[in-house]
Amino acid sequence: MQKKGLITLLIREARARDFQSIVSINASEEEKTSPIDLARVTQLDSWSTYHRVAIKEDQVAGFLLVMSNASGYDGTNFRWFADRYKSFLYVDRIVIDPVYAGMGVGTALYLDLIEFAKAQGHVALCCEINVLPPNPVSHAFHARFGFREVGHSDEAGAQKVVSYQVAVL
């Protein structure tokens, strides 16, 4: 159990029965992440090193999906890190149900991830954060965990521009 403020959470491995909730929660934040359906969640889960959910009163309050550098993941942003770093954990997405926004769900998931990463011997977490469209909430959240920009996507005229971020553990 993880306590944060007035909310008590259970952090556990994501299960197939959670995938529909994950799709629904993700849909609320597609502009900041990217669309997924059940088939894609299943595929992402198969590539993941860490895929956990935060449970509040038997409901999925949020999820965190992470790949290791050894993953067969097909994401462009993941490849950017793989081309530059030898060993890392890549945060593909962290999404919190808007009902639970600001209640410490994301923090609880990241604290669990950091504990997991250290136990597995990983020394760096990587992610990308939208610059266009802007996502100041994600920038502030990740800065609290020591993430710093190490690059950015630079496709001319792109509708989506991201900041590549790394946190050394």
Side-chain angles (χ1 to χ4, degrees):
M1 290 280 192
Q2 176 75 33
K3 286 190 175 189
K4 179 69 178 174
L6 299 176
I7 190 168
T8 302
L9 299 169
L10 168 67
I11 307 292
R12 65 161 170 78
E13 293 291 325
R15 301 172 184 153
R17 71 175 187 243
D18 300 321
F19 290 1
Q20 185 57 57
S21 294
I22 288 168
V23 168
S24 296
I25 292 168
N26 190 83
S28 70
E29 299 292 333
E30 280 183 4
E31 180 181 292
K32 297 171 189 143
T33 60
S34 60
I36 55 173
D37 58 17
L38 284 173
R40 184 63 173 168
V41 171
T42 302
Q43 185 177 45
L44 291 171
D45 181 75
S46 74
W47 286 327
S48 71
T49 298
Y50 175 106
H51 186 196
R52 295 190 181 169
V53 293
I55 303 294
K56 171 67 176 164
E57 297 174 359
D58 296 323
Q59 299 294 315
V60 176
F63 69 96
L64 178 53
L65 186 58
V66 178
M67 315 302 177
S68 79
N69 55 282
S71 172
Y73 181 49
D74 62 356
T76 303
N77 294 320
F78 172 83
R79 295 267 49 100
W80 189 93
F81 289 107
D83 290 345
R84 289 161 178 81
Y85 296 92
K86 209 174 204 182
S87 177
F88 59 88
L89 289 179
Y90 170 77
V91 176
D92 178 66
R93 65 189 74 214
I94 179 171
V95 186
I96 309 306
D97 185 321
V99 170
Y100 299 101
M103 295 184 184
V105 176
T107 297
L109 283 164
Y110 257 53
L111 290 174
D112 187 72
L113 171 62
I114 290 166
E115 186 178 301
F116 170 86
K118 288 179 178 179
Q120 298 294 314
H122 294 283
V123 297
L125 299 177
C126 302
C127 72
E128 79 276 350
I129 304 169
N130 286 358
V131 174
L132 182 67
N135 191 345
V137 172
S138 185
H139 279 276
F141 174 80
H142 284 88
R144 287 187 4 237
F145 288 96
F147 281 84
R148 300 290 176 253
E149 185 173 81
V150 293
H152 64 277
S153 63
D154 55 2
E155 297 173 32
Q159 291 187 359
K160 191 172 192 177
V161 176
V162 299
S163 167
Y164 296 117
Q165 304 261 327
V166 172
V168 176
L169 303 176

